[in-house]
């Protein structure tokens, strides 16, 4: 099939303040192959792609394209080098027509400027290549579904006749039909000799389409494999850096309280919001750790935001400690003893220019209102307590939080929320992008909180972590809750992955799992036994 | 845990130098020195029995600072939330117009009427602030567009109030606000300082300042932390307009005339400049009322110096605008990267292998 | 999220059934031009209202005056359309006109060649635009702050040059741009006349239309307003185009200064106070989204004419004090901005 690699990246290093994003990564891409880039969240996949597309400039290393070393200083450079990219978020402009989006910057020019007729004709030709010939190119892009927009984005990317096509999570918003259309297109491009870099969370898709894989973990290169040589378990083991067998059974049933016996703290019925999460039933017991597992975009974050009031639900109700409670804003969430630590620490968590002290007391202060400032004594008490408890380094409360490492920022935020003494603490990706030591500290803290009677919702894309920490795991897929798994100590990352991937082959244990209809009397569970799941668009049988 | 406070004198000096308003004080001193060079008696202050108070150039400068202090304080609060209030000059002229119309219509120069005029002026200015506040915080319009409309329409409203006239009124008590003396000090200066101090105290002693800064730095993170973003942004615009109204009262009471085309005209420039000089970033976030106050005094000093030196005063707005552009340049990361490029070119050894830890 | 059958291609627009469905279907596909049509309807409505209530609107002299008196406004409305489509704003247009015209008249009176002076007037405007663009693009200053600084700078410089009305010599060739050319000889003084200034304004409109709709630069301007980050990732020349937009706006302000000065023969430092509001209002009334991404030059012309006609009505009516004009303009602008906000919100 192939001869010389068309893209070769050697020893790529790139760092951001406080993080080493890529540490000596090698990567090569051969013409006429589909190469999957694998790794967990934060492994450095996006960073590597951004190096190749000229969005980030590398600190060290070498990028060779078509045999010649290149300095990529911007997206235009990368395009000029023949690299086209389609991102997870559709990067088109919704205010222009479909045809224009395909042709922007490459419009056909006639005697009187752009010839729209010729441009639309060319756009149509390009779209036809991708099975989209039926689209009216003169309609606004916004009339298309996100899925079709994604296909249009690929058509646009290939207008430049690139030799390299990068697809960064292109399938996260496509249904089964659309995925197979996309794969048809990918295969066609592959046969034309285009090198395709494919990133996806869906293992099934990766195994269906890719010829070769490169696995990254924590910014490091873990290896390059032929897809046919690497089975699923070995892949997951490489991605999380451990043998799968060691992942099972780490969870101990903590306090001996059986799942059904806990007194419910929060019961949500039909809770949902259009375009974000379908109507969901959920119950959380006092002192229970409930894990939300699912892929990015599965609805796990969205559900958490509804519980806290970060987004306003448009259906359903929440019963808190037996009383119906309307939670329509974060302030209301806090007032009702709920706290949410956002997955987006940088934009939705820390207030970068404020000090550690100010960041830590902000939520307590907001709950008291601006008229009743915390006394200096109370402030110091809170700040000292959590700096000591979590071992925040440096232990200087006057330092701007932006100068702390990610792990320490996370500890400060944890302090912010705990200072409000919540009954329910929702932690969305509390361990993302932080070092191992801080990770362990945070996990320990979470477990201790639950022992003290606080309810915890724990969300992480490191499924291994969810399996280890949670008493019960809510599995989300396609913005719906698809299963609830009671963790009796036998649940492993592999079990959960199987439920998420909804693949029957590897789901040996799943069939035997408790599907939790009896978890909480009085709440109806929408969980579906995985074998008979109705939403099968994603899976490839 | 407590940071060591025992720092050397040099360190402390460096810390002082890092606060931008210190440089504004240096600039004020420099301007005064220039004036003293021209006229050695410039700084002299005398007691005038006639006026019942102190007299001199320094007193005049402080007196001229009073309206700027008001609007700079309001603008600092608005800018800190990440917004802007372009209608602050219109709040001035509207308040002036309301006060003058009311006084001239009532014809009475009793203390009560003057007080009522003051109250009414602040109230109407406050209504302008309420409109701004609703448009920005509830409707969610960009601050500059809502306040721009109010800036231009506001002057029109002032003209409508006075019927296009420059209304004049007589009221001794009202005039006293701007021209009177208490224990030998001008009332207007005492009032301005007191108001700035009160606003500063309210903002810093309560949690308002913290919340304003949190909103200005990261509005979404602040909202998720439970901060009532809407209410605070609304409050800030109302406060700015009321402070603008007070500035309008100061500006009109000294001459007892409202000039519908000139009162408060281009005062947004002075307010923004004072805030930026005081070290508050126009992007919002950390703010300093003290800094804005020093900036306001600097602007007043500059205005007076220009007149004193006989430079045509029409040149000052252009000069101020140029200063703003230069301050943007100094604060911009672009300049720093350009300078860094220059420096690295000179030192020739590019350390590309360096990876941040 | 239903499973689609293989035969039905996704996203086929449902065939229109009946005239009503056809109208709604047309509206769905032409959402961006809808406000412009609405502006046209408003304009026609105003004309009819004014004709019925005050009379003598639909006649050559009134129409001529409407065009002649608003040619400078049309030019800066086009300028603002460019800027607003990118999602930016230019508050300096009025002040730049003041500086350009005062400087121009003084240079012409000092004996400089009139044609050179006109070129210089445009160049002054372009320079202010260049500085704005640089502040916005490289120093990361928000557009309204950068152009506000330019507004104060230009107004201040104009005041430095002169604070009294500067009169242009009657024999200056610049004034030729303001001479009235009779196109249609009506009864009495009821002629249809135009000035070279009107022609210039119309050329600017045609040029603006051509650039925005027939060149890659124009399409990049729309793309920036749609989503700047996407435009960047699509490899479009975002930086250059953003700078260009402010230079265009500045140059057109300079040109508007030429046209306005030619008509009046007088330049003053307080010329053009509040014109930025008029220009923004014209663009917004004409259907340009203040948040960027959508708008039409032709719509802005209609917007400018709506404002011009409003002035005619106010002066004909007599019961509305002239001070109210800016208040009304502000109110109209506010109403349209709120309307846009509501429409965009619903579409989301």
């Amino acid at each position: 099939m192939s001869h010389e690699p068309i893209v070769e990246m050697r020893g790529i290093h790139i760092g951001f303040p406080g993080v080493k994003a890529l540490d000596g990564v090698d990567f090569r891409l051969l013409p006429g192959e589909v190469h999957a880039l694998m790794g967990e969240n934060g492994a450095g996949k996006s960073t590597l792609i951004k190096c190749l597309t000229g969005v980030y400039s590398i600190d060290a290393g070498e990028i060779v394209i078509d045999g010649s070393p290149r300095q990529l200083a911007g997206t235009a450079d990368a395009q000029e080098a023949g690299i086209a990219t389609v991102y997870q978020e559709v990067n088109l402009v919704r205010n222009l027509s479909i045809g224009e989006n395909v042709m922007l910057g490459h419009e056909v020019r006639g005697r009187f400027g752009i010839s729209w007729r010729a441009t639309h004709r060319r756009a149509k030709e390009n779209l036809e290549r991708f099975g989209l010939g039926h689209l009216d190119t003169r309609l606004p892009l916004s009339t298309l579904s996100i899925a079709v927009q994604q296909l249009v984005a690929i058509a646009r990317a290939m207008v430049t006749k690139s030799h390299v096509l990068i697809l960064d999570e292109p399938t996260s918003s496509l249904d089964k039909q659309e995925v197979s259309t996309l794969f048809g297109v990918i295969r066609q491009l592959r046969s034309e000799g285009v090198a395709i870099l494919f990133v996806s969370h869906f293992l099934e898709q990766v195994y269906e389409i890719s010829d070769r894989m490169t696995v990254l973990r924590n910014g490091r290169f873990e290896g390059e494999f032929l897809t046919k040589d690497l089975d699923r378990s070995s892949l997951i083991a490489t991605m999380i850096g451990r043998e799968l067998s060691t992942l099972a059974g780490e969870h101990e049933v903590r306090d001996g309280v059986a799942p059904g016996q806990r007194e419910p703290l929060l019961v949500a019925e039909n809770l949902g919001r259009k375009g974000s999460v379908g109507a969901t039933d959920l119950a959380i017991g006092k002192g229970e750790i409930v894990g939300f597992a699912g892929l990015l975009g599965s609805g796990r974050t969205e559900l958490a935001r509804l519980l806290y009031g970060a987004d306003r639900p448009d259906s359903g109700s929440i019963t808190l400690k037996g009383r119906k409670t309307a939670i329509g804003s974060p302030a209301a969430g806090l007032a009702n003893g709920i706290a949410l630590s956002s997955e987006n620490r940088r934009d939705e968590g820390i207030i970068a220019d404020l000090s550690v002290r100010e960041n830590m007391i902000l939520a307590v202060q907001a709950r008291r209102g601006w008229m009743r400032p915390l006394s200096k004594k109370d402030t110091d008490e809170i700040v000292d307590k959590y700096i000591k408890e979590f071992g925040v380094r440096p232990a200087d409360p006057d330092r701007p939080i932006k100068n702390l490492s990610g792990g320490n920022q996370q500890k400060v935020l944890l302090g912010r929320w705990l200072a409000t003494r919540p009954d329910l603490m929702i932690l969305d990706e509390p361990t993302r992008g932080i070092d191992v030591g801080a990770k362990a500290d945070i996990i320990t803290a979470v477990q201790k909180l639950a022992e003290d009677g606080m309810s915890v919702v724990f969300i992480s894309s490191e499924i291994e972590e969810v399996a280890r920490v949670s008493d019960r795991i809510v599995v989300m897929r396609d913005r719906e809750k698809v299963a609830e798994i009671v963790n009796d100590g036998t649940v492993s990352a592999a079990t959960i992955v199987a439920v998420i991937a909804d693949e029957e082959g590897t789901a040996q244990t799943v069939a035997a799992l408790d599907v939790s209809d009896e978890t909480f009397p009085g709440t109806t569970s929408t969980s579906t036994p995985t074998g008979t799941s109705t939403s099968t668009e994603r899976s490839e049988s | 845990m407590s940071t060591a406070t025992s720092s050397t004198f040099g360190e402390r000096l460096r810390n002082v130098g890092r606060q931008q308003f210190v440089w504004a004080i240096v600039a004020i001193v420099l301007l005064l020195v220039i004036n003293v060079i021209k006229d050695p008696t410039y700084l002299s202050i005398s007691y005038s029995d006639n006026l019942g108070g102190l007299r001199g150039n320094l007193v005049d400068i402080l007196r001229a600072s009073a309206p700027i202090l008001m609007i700079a304080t309001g603008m600092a609060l608005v800018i800190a939330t990440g917004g802007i209030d372009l209608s602050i000059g219109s709040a001035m002229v509207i308040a002036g117009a309301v006060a003058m119309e009311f006084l001239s219509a009532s014809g009475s120069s009793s203390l009560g009427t003057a007080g009522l005029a003051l109250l009414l002026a602040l109230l109407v200015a406050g209504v302008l602030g309420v409109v701004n506040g609703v448009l920005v915080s509830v409707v969610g319009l960009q601050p500059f567009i809502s306040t721009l409309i109010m800036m231009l329409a506001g002057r029109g409203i002032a003209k409508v109030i006075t019927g296009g006239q420059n209304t004049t009124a007589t009221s001794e008590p009202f005039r006293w606000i701007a021209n009177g003396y208490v224990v030998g000090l001008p009332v207007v200066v005492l009032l301005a300082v007191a108001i700035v101090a009160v606003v500063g105290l309210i903002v810093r002693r309560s949690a308002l300042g913290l919340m304003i800064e949190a909103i200005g730095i990261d509005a979404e993170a602040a909202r998720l932390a439970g901060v009532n973003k809407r209410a605070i942004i609304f409050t800030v615009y109302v406060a700015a307009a009321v402070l603008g109204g007070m500035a309008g009262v100061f500006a009109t009471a000294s001459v007892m005339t409202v000039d519908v085309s000139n009162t408060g005209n281009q005062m947004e420039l002075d307010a923004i400049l004072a805030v930026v000089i005081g070290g508050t970033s126009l992007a919002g976030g950390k703010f300093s009322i003290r800094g804005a106050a020093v900036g306001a005094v600097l602007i007043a000093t500059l205005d007076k110096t220009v007149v004193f030196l006989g430079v045509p005063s029409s040149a000052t707005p252009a000069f101020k605008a140029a200063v703003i552009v230069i301050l943007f340049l100094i604060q911009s990361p672009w300049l720093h990267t350009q300078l860094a490029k220059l420096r690295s070119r000179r030192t020739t050894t590019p350390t590309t292998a360096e990876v941040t830890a | 999220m239903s499973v689609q059958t293989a035969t039905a291609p996704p996203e086929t627009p449902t065939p229109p059934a009946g005239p009503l469905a056809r109208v709604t279907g047309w509206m769905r596909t032409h959402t961006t031009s809808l406000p412009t049509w609405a502006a046209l309807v408003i304009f026609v409505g105003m004309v009819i209202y004014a004709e019925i209530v005050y009379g003598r609107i639909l006649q050559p002299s009134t129409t001529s005056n409407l065009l002649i008196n608003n040619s400078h406004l049309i030019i800066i409305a086009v300028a603002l359309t460019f800027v607003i489509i990118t999602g930016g704003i230019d508050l300096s247009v009025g002040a730049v006109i003041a500086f350009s015209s005062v400087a121009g008249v003084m240079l012409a009176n000092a004996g400089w060649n009139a044609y050179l002076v006109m070129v210089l007037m445009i160049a002054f405007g372009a320079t202010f635009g260049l500085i704005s663009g640089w502040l916005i693009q490289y120093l990361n200053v928000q557009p309204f702050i950068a152009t506000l600084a330019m507004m104060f700078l230009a107004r201040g410089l104009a005041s430095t040059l002169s604070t009294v009305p500067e009169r242009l010599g009657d024999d200056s060739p610049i004034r030729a741009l303001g001479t009235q050319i009779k196109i249609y000889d009506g009864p009495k003084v009821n002629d249809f006349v135009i000035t070279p200034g009107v022609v210039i304004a119309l050329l600017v409109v045609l040029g603006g239309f051509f650039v925005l709709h027939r060149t890659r630069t124009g399409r990049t301007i729309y793309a920036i307003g749609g989503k700047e980050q996407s435009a960047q990732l699509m490899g479009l020349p975002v930086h250059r185009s953003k700078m260009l937009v402010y230079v265009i706006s500045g140059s057109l302000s300079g040109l508007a200064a030429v046209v306005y000065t030619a008509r009046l023969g007088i330049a003053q430092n307080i010329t053009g106070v509040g014109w930025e509001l008029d220009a923004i209002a014209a663009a917004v009334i004409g259907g340009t989204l203040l948040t960027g991404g959508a708008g039409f030059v032709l719509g802005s012309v209609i917007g400018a004419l709506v404002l011009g006609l409003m002035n005619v009505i106010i002066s004909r009516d007599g019961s509305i004090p002239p001070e109210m004009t800016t208040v009304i303009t502000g109110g109209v602008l506010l109403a349209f901005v709120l309307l846009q906000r509501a429409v965009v919100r619903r579409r989301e």
Side-chain angles (χ1 to χ4, degrees), chain A residues 59 308 310 330 334 347 370 373 417, chain B residues 205-207 218 223-225 352:
Chain A
D59 295 336
Y308 178 56
L334 274 181
D347 296 332
W370 67 269
W417 301 116
Chain B
R205 283 295 155 88
S206 77
D218 190 335
R223 188 183 78 92
L224 286 177
T352 38

Side-chain angles (χ1 to χ4, degrees), chain A residues 85-104:
Chain A
T85 317
V86 172
Y87 297 92
Q88 174 180 13
E89 270 175 61
V90 182
N91 271 294
L92 297 175
V93 283
R94 291 167 55 84
N95 57 325
L96 297 180
S97 73
I98 299 166
E100 266 196 84
N101 269 291
V102 173
M103 300 300 294
L104 256 178

Side-chain angles (χ1 to χ4, degrees), chain A residues 15-16 20 59 305 308 310 330-331 334 346-351 353-354 358 362-363 365-366 370 373 384 395-396 417, chain B residues 1 3 202 205-208 210-211 213-214 217-218 220-227 232 286 352-357:
Chain A
F16 304 110
K20 195 178 275 182
D59 295 336
R305 287 174 65 93
Y308 178 56
L334 274 181
R346 204 192 53 199
D347 296 332
E348 295 180 349
I350 62 163
I351 313 262
D353 293 336
L354 293 185
E358 290 168 316
L362 187 60
Q365 187 59 68
W370 67 269
D384 286 353
D396 173 8
W417 301 116
Chain B
M1 202 130 304
T3 44
I202 290 177
R205 283 295 155 88
S206 77
L208 197 58
L210 173 68
M211 293 184 181
E213 287 182 347
I217 297 165
D218 190 335
E220 181 58 11
R223 188 183 78 92
L224 286 177
V227 174
I232 287 178
K286 288 268 179 195
T352 38
E354 219 170 88
V355 178
T356 45

Side-chain angles (χ1 to χ4, degrees), chain A residues 263-310:
Chain A
E263 193 186 337
L265 170 79
L266 178 148
V267 177
E269 282 172 278
N270 272 325
L271 193 68
R273 181 180 157 90
K274 245 186 109 189
S276 127
V277 205
T280 306
D281 290 345
L282 179 74
I284 296 164
K286 277 193 182 141
E288 187 183 27
I289 305 181
V290 178
F292 285 7
L295 298 171
L296 212 62
S298 61
R300 54 180 203 213
T301 295
E302 290 77 359
L303 182 58
R305 287 174 65 93
L306 287 188
L307 291 176
Y308 178 56

Side-chain angles (χ1 to χ4, degrees), chain A residues 252-421:
Chain A
E252 286 167 31
V253 180
R254 269 185 299 115
D255 44 10
V257 183
Q261 304 306 309
R262 287 182 199 276
E263 193 186 337
L265 170 79
L266 178 148
V267 177
E269 282 172 278
N270 272 325
L271 193 68
R273 181 180 157 90
K274 245 186 109 189
S276 127
V277 205
T280 306
D281 290 345
L282 179 74
I284 296 164
K286 277 193 182 141
E288 187 183 27
I289 305 181
V290 178
F292 285 7
L295 298 171
L296 212 62
S298 61
R300 54 180 203 213
T301 295
E302 290 77 359
L303 182 58
R305 287 174 65 93
L306 287 188
L307 291 176
Y308 178 56
D311 297 323
R312 203 186 286 269
D314 52 20
S315 74
S317 64
I318 291 177
T319 309
L320 202 63
K321 296 181 201 161
R323 280 226 317 268
K324 275 236 156 75
T325 313
I327 300 175
S329 70
L334 274 181
N336 284 300
I338 304 175
L340 168 86
S341 170
S342 164
E343 58 166 344
N344 188 346
R345 186 172 58 232
R346 204 192 53 199
D347 296 332
E348 295 180 349
I350 62 163
I351 313 262
D353 293 336
L354 293 185
S355 67
V356 166
R357 183 200 317 272
E358 290 168 316
N359 267 286
M360 225 181 242
I361 62 161
L362 187 60
V364 183
Q365 187 59 68
R367 195 171 161 177
R368 290 168 66 100
W370 67 269
M371 305 266 269
R372 291 170 51 228
L374 281 170
S375 69
K376 184 150 178 5
K377 191 170 134 274
D378 292 348
T379 305
D380 288 345
E381 225 163 72
I382 292 174
V383 173
D384 286 353
K385 176 170 179 223
Y386 290 107
I387 285 186
K388 263 203 206 98
E389 200 165 312
F390 298 135
V392 175
R393 293 280 168 279
D396 173 8
D398 292 315
R399 189 177 284 253
I401 195 169
K402 63 181 171 192
N403 296 346
L404 268 59
S405 73
N408 282 301
Q409 289 179 351
Q410 193 64 49
K411 289 174 181 175
V412 173
L413 290 184
L414 212 51
R416 175 199 285 175
W417 301 116
L418 293 180
T420 65
R421 302 182 187 287

Side-chain angles (χ1 to χ4, degrees), chain A residues 1-4 30-34 190 193 211-212 226:
Chain A
M1 177 168 59
S2 92
H3 356 279
E4 285 299 299
L30 306 176
E33 71 163 0
V34 176
R190 173 170 62 184
D211 304 309
R212 196 187 293 268
L226 283 176

